[in-house]
Amino acid sequence: MKLKKFIILIALISFTVIKAQDNCSSFYPMVEGATFTYKLYDKKDKVNGTSNYKVQEVTTNGSETKASLNINYQGSKKSETFEMDYNFTCTGEGIRIDFNSLMPNQMVEQYKDMDVEMDITGTDIELPNNLSVGQELKDADINIAMSISGMKMKVEAKTTNRKVVAQESVTTPAGTFDCMVITADILSKAMMAKVTISDKLWLAQGIGIVKQETYNKKGKLESRMELTSFSK
């Protein structure tokens, strides 16, 4: 996978939320076996990938419920296909994503047998259960410092200006949904590469991500993602 696309995906995962009906969380599916499928389109409206989400395991300990989510991304090129798992915790007031888990499985496997030191720091991504238009959400970031046979490399992704900006109806191949709209700015850095994007996300009650759009620093549409099917 190209480095630029990788750091964009890390940033988008940091911002992505799935919404489902649940006693603990309004904004993550807490049901084992729940699945969601999305089509990804480039700026020319050409399909360039499919993303499949599945809730693997849900456990409850006291007032907290923890779940693991698997993502399988199949790009238009074999080199752009990856799989990853990440974990999140629901406290009853909202959810937080463990930033340590935001690493594709293939990257972990690739470096497992190499002389690699890796240090991951950051801020857990938080999303409250109750959203309203005009609400501002907390910033989030992830920083990965790697030393590969003495060569040092850093990957950073910072999500800022997270806001609930609207409530509107959206239609995708999966149906028509009433959605809350969240926007954010994302800055990613890796070695000499620097990517600045803006993100817009539509969330539907009891469904989850319905649509997502990404814009470059000039405000032009770079990519979009739409829900095509779901089950829970």
Side-chain angles (χ1 to χ4, degrees):
M1 181 184 297
K2 293 181 179 179
L3 182 59
K4 179 178 178 181
K5 180 162 287 190
F6 167 66
I7 58 180
I8 290 176
L9 285 169
I10 284 287
L12 291 182
I13 292 169
S14 300
F15 179 63
T16 298
V17 290
I18 295 177
K19 187 172 184 177
Q21 293 173 335
D22 183 81
N23 292 331
C24 180
S25 173
S26 297
F27 294 92
Y28 259 86
M30 309 295 284
V31 180
E32 290 184 1
T35 61
F36 303 81
T37 300
Y38 301 87
K39 287 291 185 184
L40 291 85
Y41 301 81
D42 62 19
K43 58 185 177 183
K44 296 181 179 180
D45 210 33
K46 179 182 178 181
V47 176
N48 65 359
T50 301
S51 188
N52 296 289
Y53 293 66
K54 183 176 181 178
V55 180
Q56 300 281 67
E57 183 180 20
V58 178
T59 59
T60 300
N61 184 8
S63 60
E64 292 189 345
T65 299
K66 296 185 177 182
S68 61
L69 185 69
N70 175 267
I71 301 176
N72 187 291
Y73 174 79
Q74 299 176 340
S76 56
K77 299 178 181 179
K78 187 176 181 179
S79 61
E80 296 176 348
T81 297
F82 77 96
E83 182 178 356
M84 67 181 294
D85 302 293
Y86 69 89
N87 306 312
F88 57 90
T89 301
C90 176
T91 63
E93 296 181 357
I95 61 94
R96 64 177 185 269
I97 302 173
D98 178 10
F99 64 81
N100 283 289
S101 64
L102 298 178
M103 287 288 290
N105 297 347
Q106 281 88 337
M107 176 169 281
V108 175
E109 282 295 317
Q110 178 182 352
Y111 295 138
K112 184 173 63 175
D113 298 324
M114 299 172 61
D115 182 19
V116 176
E117 294 181 4
M118 187 178 300
D119 182 38
I120 305 176
T121 59
T123 305
D124 288 346
I125 300 98
E126 297 183 7
L127 190 80
N129 279 340
N130 298 317
L131 293 180
S132 59
V133 176
Q135 185 176 0
E136 296 185 359
L137 307 178
K138 292 183 179 180
D139 294 345
D141 63 81
I142 179 171
N143 304 283
I144 305 169
M146 292 185 289
S147 177
I148 307 174
S149 299
M151 182 181 71
K152 297 184 182 299
M153 183 178 77
K154 290 185 178 181
V155 177
E156 304 173 58
K158 186 174 183 60
T159 305
T160 61
N161 298 321
R162 298 173 65 214
K163 299 177 182 178
V164 183
V165 297
Q167 183 173 359
E168 59 189 42
S169 178
V170 171
T171 299
T172 75
T176 299
F177 309 92
D178 182 39
C179 299
M180 300 300 291
V181 185
I182 300 177
T183 59
D185 295 327
I186 302 169
L187 173 63
S188 299
K189 299 178 182 178
M191 298 182 69
M192 300 300 291
K194 181 178 179 180
V195 180
T196 301
I197 61 175
S198 296
D199 209 61
K200 191 172 184 179
L201 183 72
W202 285 259
L203 300 175
Q205 179 67 38
I207 301 298
I209 304 170
V210 169
K211 184 179 177 181
Q212 185 175 23
E213 293 180 345
T214 303
Y215 300 84
N216 62 24
K217 60 183 179 181
K218 294 182 180 180
K220 294 183 178 181
L221 183 67
E222 284 290 312
S223 63
R224 65 182 178 91
M225 180 177 78
E226 289 186 347
L227 178 69
T228 58
S229 66
F230 64 93
S231 66
K232 53 183 180 178

